[in-house]
Amino acid sequence: MSAPGATAVATAQFDPGATWRLHPQVALRPEPFGALLYHFGTRKLSFLKNTVIVEVVRSLGEHDSVRDALRAHGIDENAERPYLHALRTLADSHMIVPA
């Protein structure tokens, strides 16, 4: 049973072989350290702590998959693990969603 006024949010399993994008209710604000993401629906705040992940997140919807987005930003299979972890965390907090 949910609390009055609570919004149900479906959780999608993160698949790096699929296309993802910023949630429509998420604003991305560039900062010197990377960026802030704010979800207006859930009121969650996330920090992106480097400019590469910021560019990957911004471009997710332009690529056929997360892995394609990573490759487009020079991140090969040997270096993708921390980026996939960060993106999985963003998916779990509904900052990014399947496209």
Side-chain angles (χ1 to χ4, degrees), residues 73-94:
H73 292 281
I75 303 161
D76 66 19
E77 188 175 348
N78 295 323
E80 74 181 6
R81 187 173 177 191
Y83 293 94
L84 290 176
H85 176 76
L87 293 166
R88 183 172 287 111
T89 300
L90 291 175
D92 290 346
S93 62
H94 310 288

Side-chain angles (χ1 to χ4, degrees), residues 16-85:
T19 306
W20 288 71
R21 63 179 176 87
L22 274 177
H23 188 287
Q25 290 185 312
V26 171
L28 185 149
R29 186 175 85 185
E31 295 288 341
F33 58 81
L36 294 174
L37 293 176
Y38 181 74
H39 193 301
F40 288 94
T42 63
R43 298 184 179 174
K44 288 183 181 180
L45 182 66
S46 292
F47 298 89
L48 300 180
K49 296 180 182 174
N50 76 53
T51 56
V52 176
I53 191 68
V54 173
E55 293 307 316
V56 170
V57 169
R58 279 187 182 169
S59 73
L60 283 174
E62 300 168 12
H63 300 280
D64 291 334
S65 71
V66 169
R67 285 199 169 96
D68 286 348
L70 293 172
R71 300 305 174 267
H73 292 281
I75 303 161
D76 66 19
E77 188 175 348
N78 295 323
E80 74 181 6
R81 187 173 177 191
Y83 293 94
L84 290 176
H85 176 76

